[in-house]
């Protein structure tokens, strides 16, 4: 793919995303990762739920389905099982995947369903105007946590690992090169691959946490992120790390358990 | 009898804020012939309200229950060129247009008033209160509601610490409004 | 080769400015049609790609990869020639 | 603090919040969704001030579940949502009806089906409110048309819900929810409380008297009651006998239908007209403008939608040549009005339908009235 | 292998499976629930034999989601459930209607509301099938009364679903699902296929012709179509204009309602009678016994419930003194029959209701007929 | 509590459970654990979803609520928040908790919601007659996996740990003493405590896997279970362990993160 | 004309199996006057079907569509005392009862036949086929359907490898049935 | 003290037999009213609690804790006296 608009729908540009929204950066990185691989654009399906992040497939010039809030992975499961020749790629957000869609997330990981999932974790519900999500840091402000978030966040990547995914990585939008690398790896992986991207939502999250300017959000992402290798060296418990508001970045798992599709195939061949 | 007012401009210009201040002022502080007045404020939601253009309507009535949506506004307050383009045709010959001189390039062929709101706001160092300047000008030009009511409402809705700034901007606006009428 | 700002797409977030390790890009003042202030490529010569003339061989590119609105692109003419009108 | 008596200027959704607090709300669990979100957002701030609990759950199913749990320890509890979330709640709405759990659900309707028009109004969920869950059951549904209604009917919804131990649903819409206007908080609003069980006889946690509504054996006070969504006897124990099932299901229905007149809130304007508009929610305001200009036209405003105010409809149908039902859907209340009116001898019932996005204008109503 | 022509003895649920396979089922996703589970269980065995996919998902929401995904890559896809699961599916039923996704849902109805009577029959989900999701939309619902119907109507459901690109629902019940009996597989069943898109013009994935049903741009063949539950234009792009929404929602309705006659499957017995029974599903068998003994009584059996076969009801209503609707709920089809019959001049429509657990006996029907 | 039938409803005895069903054993152990603690029976609420395991609350002589399938934890969350003085105890099954209820499970763990959850994991949907569940071992038979289960199971305990629960243990019904000990610990723990019990369902699971006799199921549980200490010693990955059909038993976590209730309380006190 | 048969006993006795074999035999293999016959088998589900008692009904008819539920059975085949107690009153004077001599203690005051089914089954070493013995006896006693049809159906539904055992049990049953009739 | 089988509750699963480390309990043959075969306490004297006479002080108890149907209970009379009818 030579041109960005070979992949994206120029007729729908510019996007609805706010200035400085990380969703756009993820789209860039995805373009790079995808275009470097030899994937037939007519044999890919993009799936999403509902949210700002979930709007990406609507901008991609390929078969794409914007499902109901939280259901992307379940739809993708049916889709990839019914036509295993298609590459199925999901774009989702922390709310879509981690809140309402949490069950499909862990079950798709467990089944090692054949799909690549990119989750834009902006620590907030962007689309609906800035309510706390399941990854909003402890004590952070949002329209539904006016006194600070009293709950503790999920570590989505660790959940995917525990549930059984084949490939799991997390980066921030500041790590564009590493992100592209992980995206590429995820795209060629069999089974369930998952890349989480810590991403700014200046409008929904930043504004209420003294980071209304995208630049401040970038600064924050830089300060908060810790390389996985480091956290391992210091032997930090992932749950604690996450609670303290750190974002561990790196690759979390890279394994080759058989995928759901391959298991069903072997069953039908009486293996 | 109802009066309808439409404020339109860009996201971030405080269009909604103006509408709320007006409707609140009318609802809580304004009387007509000793009787309460009623006002409803409505606005556009959705992705388009996020960036780009912004719209806010206020309808004022003497009776409690009335159709609160603005079809053709009696007053149209415009603060950006795209807003002008989008709404200028949703008027009739009686519609009075109040526009921010610097933010809107075009001019309509119905009655209109130029207000140097952005410039004035910049003069007091806060471009952000151009909307309140416009509100003041509108109140003066339309004469449909007392300045006092709207100022009270402004005080209610202004973020803490910005009350006097808003008050000042409003007064500058009414002055500009008076000038505009007289210039006519 | 230098980055060019497409002011139709740019939303003025200024992320390109802060991610560029070589301070190539600077804050803009002028508002675009859509009301944003696109940045200015004030020091193109500092860019890691200044001497290159093939975007397929670009290095760094952090600004392009970061720009959320696809408002940055390469002008592939080699360093110094970008100002020259070729027609 | 509950709002003091006086006049306020607020968004419809905010007025709803204040109504809920005035009614004694102690617990809110919800999941954000446009155009209901302001209810959650304001409650996130207001409830802790009142010593109540606000929690944002992982989805709408969890939200209504938490509300059910809260209600069983005696709290007045509520959730708020819009179409997609309301659809997800259906299983547990049936559960709440079956277990006689008082709770209030606000559905701020937006354009459907599916994700539809998230920021714009419709009245597409009226039939769903009654029939969205499986099996036969009754709920109560009220339809506010103004900011004042958002306050008043929210209190009514709590009252009905507590008294009849039934889910009460507020069918608002994006316009009523989002519009800002004036409303009055009276000196004293009538606030009704659940009839609590006082004796401690085990084994008949669901025993009822002539009201057909069992007194509430709140958890934590030694009643040792068992609650189940399976058909159950008055002990609350699961039973598979068709007779027990029949008695239960018919009672759950009868305790509401039998009180239809008490629950039916309607306003009739220009009662002697022989042409009537029937409306509820947002389009009512347009209709009011119409009848304000033309007193020869009557207006029946339904504030209660379920149980359907059959008596009022019959009353209107008896004397008129024509009824025009104005609603923002493809004709949901219309069918009920048509049925009831026809049985009363009025066959001329017409529908002025808009499917959502924009509320009818007064002109559209006038135009439709002229057409016949 | 699809069953060969011949006579078989099976459970209703099993006959449904064979019907689905005969219709070309390629994908089933489901979640166990009594009394539908045998459908999943038999398909777990049968589908892999056919090279199709069977998957048990984590819940009913995931099940219908997977079915939707599967349908978009062109598979004939189905799920099966009962009341509680059907309630959970509502959001995505609306989504399927909105996105014009062909799929079949079997709801083997049990006693409700809520967990109710899990092993016993009812017909409590009829209105839910039509109105369970938010917003205005149409689905198709068929009601089998016999093991043979379970086979035949399953094929019909697939055909309707594919042709009209709409969710088709089989409203069976615990009795029809569980009874074992004989059914015949004909030499050739009419099996209809989705009209696939053949050209590859982008930007109008949802363009339609006079049939109002867009040809299907199956995923994976370069159509690059965008599918969304948001109101969308013919390109499939999200749109927030009320006009686009109105056009879409009215078309989705009209493509079904406009074909009401083609979709309405009914059987009329003793057509000249002036007293008529109206039934569907399980109680039909009792009614057949009644009219078998007394040819002066007519029977209208509705095999299609949605869209309601209004023409047949009107036809019957025109000539009769009395209609008795026999159903295992509190009167769901009854209200529709009452409305339609009344408009046709027949006011005497009565309901013989049982709320579930046991099917009506012939005696009960006879007794009720005598009462008037 | 002196007598078993002080806790259980004698008028509903005998239970509907099949001969040899592990649910009864769990009820015994719970009786022991509960009666040894000084908990006011009138201040406890039992919550469950739907399933055989979820029928337990209906046999307990205390306030109890048998909710819809999968929703027990969400109901319990509302319940415990609205009356923090009550002890909230949930009984659930692998289907109820791990399949349809999976999202509430991880979210309640994350929030550290104030409740004690006992999950009877019999590797099957017992109530509906033996369909595969989310913990059915790979390759095992069930009515919906007639060719053997091609999916891989969850490790519920590990999920709870990753999501953030305060106390997590797992035992089989063969470890009655340890089970009672963990139940007791869980009952006094603040926040979210979770005890999973590997349990026989001879009817639904055993019969189709050559273990129709409860005794065979007991033998199987014995062979399959591995003490956590051992698996740690051999450095076995929990995901792999679970996939290979092993049941790690022991305590998985015992920590004292603040509970949801306590956090909300501190918020209201402006702490 | 319909004929209704009820089988009742304990869970695990194969009550459902008998009903299915009967209904299947009638449906697929039996003709009357050259025309097809129809049969529907129904049973009780739910927790009670898990342990404890078990019930299975078969209704046979000449017409295709008929009311398939048994209210008062024409034949009642009982294989346990609790089943006897539960169902013996759901009969009328024409109901014919066939009971397993050893498994049922009580005897009704309507027409009944004692069949030593369990004993016979034990004799051939397979207590588990007592139900098939009873089925054979019932077929013989009722005479409503040919032995051949039911034997064919039995073969269809019997688990692989048990066909001949079932055949034998069935024949022993018909013999017992014949004896019982003659004993009368 | 010895364990006693309540044949009204017992469902004959025989788990008590296999979990008892001391082989106190044995398979029963006789069917109960509900059609199950309750086991027989054939070697009460082998039980760890044989010498005790206060259930609060019982050790082992694996059988009681395992029995899914609450069909086992203690006869608290000391070892050997259980056969004696005290009335
Ligand atoms: C069933 C349902 N509930 C709620 C919503 C409203 N809703 C839309 S997007 C969204 C949150 C999206 O958050 P996330 O996935 O993090 O996306 P973001 O916008 O932050 O990228 C919500 C709650 C919905 N559309 N459907
Ligand atoms: C929404 C819904 N779907 C399905 C069911 C049917 N159902 C009842 S219990 C159950 C599975 C229970 O499994 P588990 O929790 O493991 O309990 P067990 O019976 O094995 O103890 C299912 C699927 C239901 N009641 N509700
Ligand atoms: S709301 Fe947040 S996530 Fe959504 S577009 Fe704006 S910045 Fe991006
Ligand atoms: S390519 Fe690198 S050096 Fe050049 S402008 Fe972009 S960020 Fe700066
Ligand atoms: S990053 Fe892109 S959108 Fe942002 S200022 Fe730079 S060029 Fe403009
Ligand atoms: S089916 Fe399984 S879990 Fe349910 S009672 Fe029987 S043995 Fe226990
Ligand atoms: S207490 Fe122990 S030794 Fe005694 S019978 Fe029970 S299991 Fe056996
Ligand atoms: S464990 Fe209990 S139920 Fe099982 S055989 Fe022993 S006494 Fe009977
Ligand atoms: Mg987000
Ligand atoms: Mg289980």
């Amino acid at each position: 793919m030579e041109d960005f608009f070979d992949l994206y729908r120029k007729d729908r540009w510019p996007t609805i995303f706010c200035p400085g929204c990380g969703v756009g950066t993820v789209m860039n990185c995805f373009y790079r990762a995808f275009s470097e691989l030899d994937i037939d654009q007519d044999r890919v399906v993009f799936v999403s739920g509902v949210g700002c992040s979930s709007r990406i497939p609507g901008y991609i010039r390929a078969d794409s389905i914007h499902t109901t809030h939280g259901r992307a992975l379940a739809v993708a499961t049916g889709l990839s099982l019914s036509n295993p020749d298609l590459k199925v790629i999901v774009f989702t957000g922390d709310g879509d995947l981690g809140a309402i869609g949490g069950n499909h997330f862990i079950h798709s990981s467990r089944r090692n369903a054949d799909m690549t999932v990119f989750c834009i974790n902006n620590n907030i519900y962007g689309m609906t105007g800035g309510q706390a999500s399941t990854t909003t840091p402890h004590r952070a402000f949002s329209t539904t946590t006016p006194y600070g978030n009293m709950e503790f966040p999920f570590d989505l990547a660790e959940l995917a690992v525990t549930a059984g995914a084949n490939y799991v990585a997390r980066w921030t939008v500041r790590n564009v090169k590493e992100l592209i690398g992980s995206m590429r790896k995820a795209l060629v992986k069999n089974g369930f691959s998952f890349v989480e991207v810590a991403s700014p939502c200046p409008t929904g999250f930043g504004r209420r946490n003294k980071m209304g300017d995208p630049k401040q959000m970038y600064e924050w992402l830089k300060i908060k992120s810790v390389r996985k290798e480091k956290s391992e060296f210091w032997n930090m418990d992932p749950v604690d790390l996450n609670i303290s508001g750190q974002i561990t970045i790196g690759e979390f798992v890279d394994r080759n358990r058989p995928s759901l599709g391959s298991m069903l195939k072997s069953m039908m061949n009486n293996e | 009898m109802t009066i309808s007012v439409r404020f339109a401009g860009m996201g971030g210009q405080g269009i909604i804020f103006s509408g709320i201040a007006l409707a609140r002022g009318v609802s809580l502080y304004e009387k007509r012939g000793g009787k309460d007045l009623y006002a409803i404020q409505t606005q556009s939601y959705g992705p388009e309200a996020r960036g780009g253009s912004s719209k806010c309507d206020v309808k004022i009535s003497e009776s409690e229950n009335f159709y609160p949506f603005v079809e053709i506004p009696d007053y149209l307050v415009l603060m950006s060129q795209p807003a002008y383009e989008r709404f200028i045709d949703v008027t009739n010959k009686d519609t009075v247009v109040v526009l921010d001189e610097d933010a809107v390039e075009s001019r309509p062929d119905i009655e209109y008033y130029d207000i140097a709101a952005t410039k004035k706001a910049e003069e007091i160092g806060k471009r952000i209160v151009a909307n309140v300047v416009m509100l003041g000008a509108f109140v003066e030009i339309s004469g449909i509601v007392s300045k006092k009511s709207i100022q009270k409402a402004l005080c209610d809705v202004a973020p803490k610490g910005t009350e006097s700034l808003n008050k000042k901007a409003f007064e500058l606006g009414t002055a500009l409004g008076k000038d505009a009428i007289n210039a006519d | 080769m230098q980055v060019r700002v497409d002011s139709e797409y740019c939303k003025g977030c200024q992320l390109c400015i802060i991610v560029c390790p070589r301070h190539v890009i600077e804050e803009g003042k002028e508002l675009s049609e859509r009301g944003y202030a696109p940045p200015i490529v004030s020091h193109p010569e500092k860019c890691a790609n200044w001497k290159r003339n093939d975007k397929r061989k670009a290095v760094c590119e952090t600004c392009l990869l970061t720009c959320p609105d696809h408002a940055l692109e390469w002008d592939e003419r080699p360093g110094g020639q970008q100002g020259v009108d070729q027609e | 603090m509950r709002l003091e008596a006086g006049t306020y200027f607020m968004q419809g959704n905010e007025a709803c919040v204040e109504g809920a607090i005035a009614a004694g709300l102690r617990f809110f669990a919800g999941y954000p969704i446009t155009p209901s979100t302001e209810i959650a957002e304001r409650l996130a701030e207001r409830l802790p001030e009142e010593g109540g609990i606000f929690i944002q759950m992982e989805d709408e199913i969890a939200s209504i579940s938490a509300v059910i749990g809260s209600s069983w320890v005696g709290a007045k509890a509520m959730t708020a949502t819009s179409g997609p979330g309301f659809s997800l709640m259906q299983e547990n709405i049936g559960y709440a009806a079956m277990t006689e759990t008082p709770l209030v659900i606000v559905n701020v309707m937006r354009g459907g089906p599916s994700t539809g028009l998230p920021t714009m109004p419709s009245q597409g969920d009226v039939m769903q409110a009654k029939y969205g869950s499986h099996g036969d059951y009754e709920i109560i549904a009220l339809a506010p048309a103004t900011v004042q209604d958002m306050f008043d009917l929210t209190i009514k919804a709590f009252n009905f819900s507590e008294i009849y131990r039934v889910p009460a649903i507020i069918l608002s819409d994006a316009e009523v929810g989002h519009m800002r206007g004036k409303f009055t908080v009276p000196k004293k609003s009538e606030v009704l409380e659940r009839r609590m069980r006082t004796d401690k006889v085990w084994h008949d946690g669901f025993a009822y008297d002539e009201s057909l509504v069992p007194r509430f054996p709140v958890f934590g006070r030694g009643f040792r009651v068992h609650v189940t969504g399976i058909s159950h006897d008055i002990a609350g124990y699961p039973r598979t006998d068709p007779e027990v099932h029949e008695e239960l299901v018919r009672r759950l229905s009868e305790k509401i239908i039998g009180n239809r007149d008490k629950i039916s809130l309607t306003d009739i304007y220009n009662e002697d007209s022989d042409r009537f508009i029937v409306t509820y929610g947002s389009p009512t305001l347009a209709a009011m403008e119409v009848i304000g200009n033309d007193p020869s036209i009557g207006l029946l405003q339904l504030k209660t939608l379920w149980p359907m105010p059959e008596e009022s409809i019959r009353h209107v149908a008896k004397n008129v040549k024509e009824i025009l039902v104005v609603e923002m859907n493809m004709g949901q209340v219309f069918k009920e009005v048509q049925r009831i009116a026809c049985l009363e001898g009025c066959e001329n019932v017409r529908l002025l339908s808009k499917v959502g996005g924009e509320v009818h204008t007064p002109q559209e109503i006038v135009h439709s009235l002229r057409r016949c």
Side-chain angles (χ1 to χ4, degrees), chain A:
Chain A
M1 227 172 314
E2 259 290 275
D3 184 31
F4 188 79
F5 289 120
D6 287 344
L7 180 62
Y8 294 105
R9 296 186 188 264
K10 197 169 183 175
D11 57 334
R12 297 204 65 211
W13 227 256
T15 63
I16 57 159
F17 308 123
C18 310
C21 172
V23 173
T25 307
V26 173
M27 291 172 80
N28 284 344
C29 295
F30 175 72
Y31 164 69
R32 292 297 169 109
F34 186 82
S35 59
E36 283 166 20
L37 298 169
D38 191 28
I39 304 179
D40 178 352
Q41 205 165 323
D42 285 343
R43 308 292 288 161
V44 195
V45 177
F46 292 86
V47 185
S48 68
V50 175
C52 295
S53 348
S54 296
R55 285 294 186 103
I56 293 180
Y59 291 108
I60 301 185
R61 245 179 195 318
D63 291 327
S64 55
I65 179 162
H66 178 240
T67 70
T68 44
H69 188 36
R71 312 308 168 191
L73 274 59
V75 171
T77 301
L79 216 149
S80 75
L81 284 175
S82 276
N83 189 345
D85 296 340
L86 301 182
K87 174 95 217 136
V88 177
I89 302 170
V90 176
F91 283 97
T92 178
D94 47 319
D96 194 60
L97 181 89
I100 193 168
N103 208 22
H104 311 307
F105 176 42
I106 55 176
H107 280 272
S108 304
S109 298
R110 171 180 67 75
R111 289 191 184 104
N112 214 4
D114 305 75
M115 62 182 79
T116 300
V117 177
F118 300 120
C119 175
I120 298 173
N121 181 354
N122 54 15
N123 311 100
I124 204 81
Y125 294 166
M127 178 62 97
T128 43
Q131 298 77 30
S133 94
T134 208
T135 60
T136 301
H138 187 57
R139 300 277 179 190
F141 295 97
S142 75
T143 62
T144 48
T145 55
Y147 307 108
N149 183 22
M150 293 294 126
E151 299 187 10
F152 301 99
F154 265 147
D155 186 326
L156 296 172
E158 290 289 351
L159 270 178
V161 173
T162 306
N166 256 358
Y167 180 79
V168 177
R170 175 167 49 217
W171 301 104
T172 80
V173 285
R174 285 200 68 114
N175 316 107
V176 284
K177 297 282 163 67
E178 291 94 333
L179 175 56
I180 293 170
S182 278
M183 283 181 149
R184 217 167 4 192
K185 272 193 171 179
L187 284 169
V188 297
K189 192 79 189 176
N190 283 323
F192 191 84
S193 54
F194 177 67
V195 179
E196 179 184 344
V197 192
S199 177
C201 169
T203 311
F205 181 72
R207 251 193 318 151
R208 283 178 196 86
N209 293 282
K210 305 203 176 121
M211 301 181 285
D213 186 323
K215 289 178 288 186
Q216 295 167 306
M217 291 231 57
Y218 260 60
E219 202 44 42
W220 182 74
L221 286 173
K222 188 174 176 179
I223 296 167
K224 286 292 177 184
S225 51
V226 191
R227 296 257 166 187
K228 178 168 171 279
E229 295 70 27
K230 261 200 203 154
S231 79
E232 269 167 4
F233 181 82
W234 293 109
N235 216 338
M236 292 188 272
D237 180 333
V239 170
D240 290 341
L241 247 187
N242 201 251
I243 286 172
S244 71
Q246 300 300 311
I247 306 166
T248 340
I249 53 176
E251 265 185 17
F252 291 80
V253 90
D254 184 351
R255 55 193 166 199
N256 287 303
R257 296 172 48 221
S259 79
L260 175 64
S262 68
M263 288 307 305
L264 289 187
K265 201 165 170 184
S266 80
M267 177 186 91
M268 293 211 253
N269 299 339
N270 286 313
E271 281 161 25

Side-chain angles (χ1 to χ4, degrees), chain D residues 3 224 267 295 303 354:
Chain D
L3 283 193
R224 304 196 179 178
D267 280 336
K303 289 187 173 173
K354 279 187 116 169

Side-chain angles (χ1 to χ4, degrees), chain A residues 2-5 10 13-21 24-25 28-29 32 173-174 176-177 180 213-215 218-219, chain C residues 8-9 11-15 17-19 27 34 36 55-56 59-71 74:
Chain A
E2 259 290 275
D3 184 31
F4 188 79
F5 289 120
K10 197 169 183 175
W13 227 256
T15 63
I16 57 159
F17 308 123
C18 310
C21 172
T25 307
N28 284 344
C29 295
R32 292 297 169 109
V173 285
R174 285 200 68 114
V176 284
K177 297 282 163 67
I180 293 170
D213 186 323
K215 289 178 288 186
Y218 260 60
E219 202 44 42
Chain C
E8 195 191 330
Y9 292 162
K11 292 178 185 157
C13 65
Q14 306 190 348
L15 291 178
I17 302 176
I18 64 157
V19 298
E27 213 171 305
R34 292 169 58 226
Y36 300 117
K55 74 176 177 187
R56 284 166 305 180
V59 292
C60 182
E61 290 203 292
T62 311
C63 53
L64 265 92
L65 289 170
T66 298
C67 172
D69 291 286
H70 195 63
W74 288 117

Side-chain angles (χ1 to χ4, degrees), chain D residues 54-368:
Chain D
F54 169 91
I55 186 168
Q56 183 178 316
M57 295 296 286
E58 53 272 26
D59 63 14
E60 289 87 351
I61 301 179
S63 300
I64 186 159
S65 298
V67 164
I68 288 170
S70 171
S71 183
W72 273 97
V73 294
K76 291 193 178 179
M78 163 170 129
T79 185
T81 188
S82 184
F86 195 53
S87 291
L88 287 173
M89 290 181 184
Q90 291 304 328
E91 188 196 10
N92 272 349
I93 291 176
Y95 179 83
M98 184 64 145
T99 52
E100 305 182 70
T101 307
L103 55 85
V104 171
I105 304 166
V106 188
N107 174 359
V108 185
M109 295 184 283
R110 66 191 217 183
S114 197
T115 313
L117 284 179
T119 59
M120 296 181 179
S122 90
Q123 299 180 313
D125 311 349
V126 174
M127 289 298 274
Q128 183 191 25
K130 168 73 184 79
Y131 292 109
S133 197
H134 59 285
D136 290 287
Y137 63 99
E138 294 288 332
I139 49 79
I140 291 173
L142 308 180
T146 62
V147 176
Q148 183 73 49
D149 281 354
M150 285 294 270
F151 181 82
D152 294 343
L153 295 186
T154 300
I155 299 177
K156 290 265 189 238
F158 273 96
N159 288 349
F160 286 148
S161 165
E162 296 286 322
I163 291 301
Y164 299 114
R165 289 185 57 179
V166 71
I169 297 162
I170 297 171
L171 286 175
S172 177
D173 66 59
E175 288 299 354
V176 179
H178 278 160
M179 68 172 58
R180 286 185 178 81
K182 168 154 67 182
F183 72 100
T184 305
V185 175
K187 285 246 170 54
K188 207 175 145 25
S189 304
E190 188 191 33
V191 169
L192 304 178
E193 305 296 338
R194 215 173 291 185
R195 287 198 312 158
M196 291 291 183
R197 185 95 187 222
T198 46
D199 59 330
K200 285 198 192 174
V201 186
W202 300 349
H203 298 309
D204 68 345
F206 284 82
Y208 53 91
D209 55 21
E210 68 285 356
S211 77
L212 301 187
V213 185
R215 282 176 177 269
F216 194 81
V218 60
F219 281 0
R221 301 220 193 120
F223 296 115
R224 304 196 179 178
V225 67
H226 182 56
V227 179
T228 177
I230 297 184
S231 291
H232 45 271
D233 54 24
I234 59 163
Y237 290 171
R239 292 282 294 272
T240 53
D241 336 26
E243 307 74 43
V244 173
H245 176 71
E246 182 117 12
E247 178 186 329
L248 174 62
V249 174
R250 294 212 187 268
R251 177 175 66 74
L252 294 181
S253 175
E254 187 54 28
K255 74 175 180 181
I256 305 302
I257 295 302
N259 288 298
R260 194 195 293 269
D261 291 346
K262 285 191 204 140
I263 303 166
S264 289
L265 307 174
T266 60
D267 280 336
I268 299 192
Y269 301 87
N270 301 343
E271 190 161 354
D272 298 328
S273 312
D274 61 358
R275 293 157 80 203
F276 251 83
I277 304 171
V278 176
T279 62
Y280 56 95
S282 273
T284 307
L285 295 172
M288 291 213 173
E289 197 137 316
V290 171
I291 64 159
N293 295 331
D294 182 351
S296 80
I297 296 163
L299 171 63
L300 170 62
Q301 178 192 358
L302 308 177
K303 289 187 173 173
T304 300
L305 292 182
W306 300 112
M308 188 58 62
E310 299 200 351
E311 192 43 46
S312 302
I313 297 169
R314 270 196 294 270
H315 178 76
V316 163
K318 216 170 280 172
N319 307 309
V320 300
K321 289 214 277 288
E322 184 197 5
I323 295 175
L324 180 71
V325 180
V326 179
E327 51 183 341
M328 270 194 287
N329 57 42
M330 306 261 305
Q332 298 191 6
V333 164
F334 165 69
K335 278 199 185 177
E336 273 295 272
V337 172
Q338 191 180 45
R339 185 179 64 83
I340 297 162
C342 181
L343 289 169
E344 207 60 39
C346 170
E347 281 179 31
N348 190 8
V349 179
R350 287 187 311 114
L351 168 68
L352 177 59
S353 149
K354 279 187 116 169
V355 301
E358 281 169 337
V359 183
H360 302 73
T361 63
Q363 289 71 18
E364 285 168 333
I365 299 178
V366 168
H367 189 254
S368 173

